Amino acid sequence: MVGELAANVEQHAGGIHLVSVRREPGTVVIEVHGGHPDAPRPRGPDPDDEHGRGLQLVAALAAGWGVRHDGRHKIVWASLDLPGAES
């Protein structure tokens, strides 16, 4: 999931400024900070397309994902629930 988020930001947002992974109660949160202000949008690629499935993979694997801005960067995040952890 880190690879998909990082590749998306690298390709579409003018490079990666920061990647962070942190543990919160019951979950792990991955954040990738990029320079482009536009929010990513999942695409519907054709079966023969070689690209365009990254955010679909993230959405399928993650407990949640989204985008926020910190005033300087766009931050794309995804969270994973920890098995057996209490929230």
Side-chain angles (χ1 to χ4, degrees):
M1 199 172 321
V2 173
E4 290 296 340
L5 292 175
N8 190 58
V9 169
E10 181 67 34
Q11 183 176 6
H12 299 291
I16 297 169
H17 296 279
L18 175 71
V19 175
S20 67
V21 179
R22 71 178 183 280
R23 183 176 177 165
E24 294 182 354
T27 191
V28 171
V29 179
I30 302 160
E31 294 182 336
V32 180
H33 300 232
H36 196 277
D38 293 341
R41 294 181 311 273
R43 295 179 16 196
D46 291 328
D48 294 334
D49 287 348
E50 294 184 16
H51 303 283
R53 293 173 183 81
L55 290 177
Q56 290 178 346
L57 289 170
V58 169
L61 296 171
W65 78 276
V67 180
R68 71 182 204 299
H69 293 83
D70 69 0
R72 293 182 56 211
H73 303 112
K74 169 181 58 186
I75 302 164
V76 183
W77 62 270
S79 63
L80 295 166
D81 290 336
L82 295 173
E86 295 182 22
S87 298

